[in-house]
């Protein structure tokens, strides 16, 4: 009997024994292709010798030093590298242990920034429906996924949610993609005015929506309009790249492709590639200076922030990403997209194939012509996950794609080291899983 509290008490997962490149091998010797990188985490694959060596070397020097007393060389070097590569005016880096912590830190910093400036009424957060920003209470309240929010709603801060930029479901037949993007971006301005600009502190969004909607990219011009609206009303733009950042969509930072820069940026997952728990919040010099010129103390913190061993691992990961590995993402992503299109573009139960780079989503529908979803009771996403796992493919199917209840999709986020043969393996095993789930 296990004494581990699992994610699901009625499941008995196999024991992961070792990792080899794009594969995880369980105790029985069965190999699984890691087609989702866990949850878009393992961008370098498994057992990378450079990263494991960096971890061992750092542990031999000093594994941990509390940031209330010390900084560390890996943290300083990693922060310098991140700032040197980040677009816009992002200038300071606050290291945490994961994505939820990064979002929590961003929300607290946004609030304290306005307090330090004397704009004390600014506290409201606006986000988008079907977004996901983490599972701590502040991050969960910011996210717009009803299924995740509902049990804990009495505990959460009040947040406004506007429409996502979800072209497949939202664009009208009489609209161009650009017109659609401007319309849904305009909902942000409407909500700011409804709440009163003096009360709104931040708008939070994923540049490419991940887990809850399945690699949904924005249409051209959407985020530029969002940036304009935030600037007009003095609202901070917080971009959550926890899942879609660190090269996953084909550029080191996902928002680069939309020609904008945030005031605060959250990253995690691919930053450590799974080798150590780490995330980061980046902010502009203006925000940092407001704290420095005011109280001088960011009223936040966790024991393991700036962890030297985690930063040492992430430093090696980031160097590998920025020194050529990210360059593989767009061409390999194009090959994966082509293979998905060849296999599923005419499938009667595949409504949309979307994404950027090696971040791809396949949306399943009961009726392709009407886009009607399957009955949630059918549990299509769960059946696909089970069948794929049995076939030796780890992927990330989810339900509630449309509104937190209806809709099914499969998210793919394989390691950046994949080769052409791996693309065929992913699509072939996914095809087997979909056939099994729909029979």
């Amino acid at each position: 009997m296990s004494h581990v509290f699992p994610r699901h008490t009625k499941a008995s997962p196999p024991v992961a024994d070792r990792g080899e490149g794009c594969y995880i091998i369980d105790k029985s010797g069965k190999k699984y292709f890691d087609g989702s990188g866990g949850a878009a985490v393992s961008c370098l694959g498994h057992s990378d010798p450079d990263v494991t060596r960096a971890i061992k070397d750092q542990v031999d020097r000093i594994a941990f030093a509390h940031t209330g007393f010390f900084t560390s060389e890996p943290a300083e070097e990693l922060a310098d590298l991140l700032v040197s590569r980040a677009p816009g005016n992002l200038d300071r880096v606050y290291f945490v242990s994961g994505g939820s912590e990064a979002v929590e830190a961003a929300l607290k910093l946004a609030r304290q920034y306005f307090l330090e400036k004397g704009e004390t009424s600014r506290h409201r957060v606006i986000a988008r429906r079907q977004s996901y920003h983490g599972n701590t209470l502040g991050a969960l309240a910011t996210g717009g996924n009803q299924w995740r929010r509902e049990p804990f709603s009495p505990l959460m801060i009040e947040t406004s949610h506007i429409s996502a930029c979800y072209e497949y479901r939202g664009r009208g037949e009489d609209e161009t993609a650009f017109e659609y993007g401007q319309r849904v971006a305009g909902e942000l301005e409407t909500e700011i005015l409804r709440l009163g600009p003096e009360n709104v502190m931040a708008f939070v969004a994923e540049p490419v929506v991940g887990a809850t909607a399945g690699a949904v990219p924005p249409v051209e011009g959407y985020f530029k309009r969002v940036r304009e609206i935030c600037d007009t009303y003095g609202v901070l733009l917080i971009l959550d790249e926890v899942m879609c950042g660190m090269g996953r969509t084909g550029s080191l930072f996902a928002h680069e492709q939309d020609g904008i820069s945030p005031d605060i940026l959250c990253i995690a997952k691919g930053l450590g590639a799974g080798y150590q728990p780490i995330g980061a919040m980046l902010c502009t010099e203006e925000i940092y200076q407001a704290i420095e010129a005011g109280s001088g103390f960011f009223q936040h913190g966790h024991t393991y922030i700036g962890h030297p061993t985690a930063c040492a691992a992430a430093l090696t990961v980031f160097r590998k990403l920025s020194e050529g590995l990210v360059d593989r993402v767009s061409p390999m992503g194009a090959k994966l997209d082509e293979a998905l299109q060849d296999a599923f573009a005419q499938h009667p139960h595949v409504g949309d194939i979307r994404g950027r780079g090696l971040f791809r989503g396949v949306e399943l529908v009961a009726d392709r012509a009407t886009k009607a979803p399957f009955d949630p009771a059918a549990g299509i996403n769960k059946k696909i996950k089970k069948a794929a796992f049995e076939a030796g493919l780890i992927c990330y199917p989810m339900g509630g794609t449309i509104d937190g209840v209806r809709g099914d999709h499969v998210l793919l986020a394989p390691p950046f080291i994949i080769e052409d043969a791996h693309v065929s393996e992913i699509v072939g095993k996914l095809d087997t899983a979909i056939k099994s789930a729909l029979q």
Side-chain angles (χ1 to χ4, degrees):
M1 184 187 76
S2 173
H3 291 282
V4 172
F5 199 136
R7 282 178 173 252
H8 199 301
T9 61
K10 294 178 173 60
S12 298
V15 175
D17 185 58
R18 64 189 189 279
E20 295 177 0
C22 293
Y23 296 88
I24 293 177
I25 299 96
D26 71 16
K27 270 287 191 181
S28 74
K30 182 177 178 178
K31 293 179 68 174
Y32 305 82
F33 186 88
D34 195 356
S36 60
V41 174
S42 300
C43 53
L44 266 60
H46 303 277
S47 303
D48 184 287
D50 297 324
V51 185
T52 55
R53 188 179 308 112
I55 294 169
K56 292 173 184 177
D57 289 347
Q58 184 60 42
V59 169
D60 284 342
R61 293 181 64 189
I62 182 167
F64 169 70
H66 195 285
T67 53
F69 304 96
F70 297 98
T71 185
S72 69
E73 287 184 0
E76 295 292 339
E77 289 183 42
L78 180 56
D80 288 346
L81 274 178
L82 283 166
V83 168
S84 72
R85 295 300 303 272
N89 299 317
L90 296 171
D91 186 70
R92 295 284 174 158
V93 184
Y94 188 90
F95 291 113
V96 293
S97 298
S100 295
E101 282 188 25
V103 173
E104 289 283 334
L107 295 171
K108 285 188 176 179
L109 181 61
R111 173 60 178 162
Q112 188 171 338
Y113 167 71
F114 285 116
L115 289 176
E116 302 275 10
K117 290 181 65 182
E119 299 181 45
T120 58
S121 66
R122 287 192 186 261
H123 69 286
R124 290 297 300 263
V125 177
I126 303 172
R128 302 187 297 182
R129 289 187 284 275
Q130 277 307 91
S131 59
Y132 179 66
H133 298 294
N135 254 338
T136 51
L137 285 174
L140 188 62
T142 302
N145 183 259
Q146 292 303 314
W147 173 75
R148 287 174 169 85
R149 289 169 52 89
E150 187 175 7
F152 309 104
S153 57
L155 307 178
M156 297 189 301
I157 60 171
E158 186 178 6
T159 309
S160 297
H161 292 98
I162 61 174
S163 296
C165 188
Y166 184 2
E167 185 182 8
Y168 173 66
R169 291 282 174 185
R171 179 162 71 92
E173 293 182 1
D174 59 341
E175 289 180 303
T176 65
F178 180 82
E179 289 169 341
Y180 164 68
Q182 298 302 291
R183 174 170 63 81
V184 291
E187 291 187 22
L188 174 59
E189 183 171 41
T190 300
E191 185 61 12
I192 290 172
L193 292 173
R194 187 186 74 83
L195 295 171
E198 71 281 2
N199 297 316
V200 180
M201 72 177 189
F203 175 61
V204 185
E206 301 161 272
V208 180
V209 182
T212 52
V216 178
V219 298
E220 184 179 356
Y222 170 80
F223 271 110
K224 285 188 176 180
R225 180 62 185 136
V226 163
R227 178 73 269 184
E228 290 172 357
I229 293 168
C230 288
D231 289 343
T232 297
Y233 297 101
V235 172
L236 297 181
L237 176 59
I238 300 174
L239 292 183
D240 176 353
E241 295 198 5
V242 167
M243 184 171 266
C244 65
M246 294 294 95
R248 175 58 60 188
T249 62
S251 53
L252 199 53
F253 297 92
H255 65 270
E256 292 180 63
Q257 298 176 47
D258 295 292
I260 61 156
S261 184
D263 301 296
I264 301 176
L265 177 69
C266 301
I267 56 176
K269 296 188 185 291
L271 177 62
Y275 289 87
Q276 288 280 283
I278 190 168
M281 175 198 69
L282 289 74
C283 72
T284 62
E285 176 68 11
E286 178 187 353
I287 293 174
Y288 180 80
Q289 286 299 329
I291 307 298
E292 185 177 50
S295 67
F297 173 64
F298 179 28
Q299 196 171 329
H300 182 58
H302 298 279
T303 299
Y304 288 116
I305 63 174
H307 194 283
T309 308
C311 288
L315 179 60
T316 302
V317 171
F318 190 77
R319 284 174 173 158
K320 293 173 82 85
L321 292 177
S322 58
E323 292 172 4
L325 190 56
V326 173
D327 295 338
R328 300 188 79 253
V329 172
S330 288
M332 291 309 298
K335 290 181 179 181
L336 178 57
D337 180 59
E338 182 180 6
L340 290 169
Q341 297 287 348
D342 287 345
F344 303 118
Q346 302 305 316
H347 193 289
H349 295 296
V350 172
D352 193 31
I353 302 169
R354 53 184 176 247
R356 287 180 180 172
L358 287 171
F359 200 44
R360 298 286 163 176
V362 178
E363 184 166 339
L364 287 301
V365 291
D367 188 303
R368 182 183 172 89
T370 65
K371 303 182 184 179
F374 285 99
D375 183 343
I380 296 298
N381 60 89
K382 296 175 183 176
K383 292 177 180 177
I384 291 175
K385 181 179 181 179
K386 181 180 179 182
F389 200 66
E390 289 174 353
L393 173 67
I394 301 168
C395 57
Y396 199 138
M398 284 293 296
T401 312
I402 301 169
D403 54 13
V405 178
R406 300 174 303 138
D408 300 272
H409 69 265
V410 178
L411 183 67
L412 297 170
F416 300 171
I417 61 173
I418 62 169
E419 303 291 346
D420 290 0
H422 295 138
V423 171
S424 298
E425 182 177 357
I426 293 168
V427 176
K429 289 181 175 179
L430 181 59
D431 186 34
T432 297
I434 290 174
K435 286 176 179 174
S436 174
L438 297 179
Q439 68 183 7

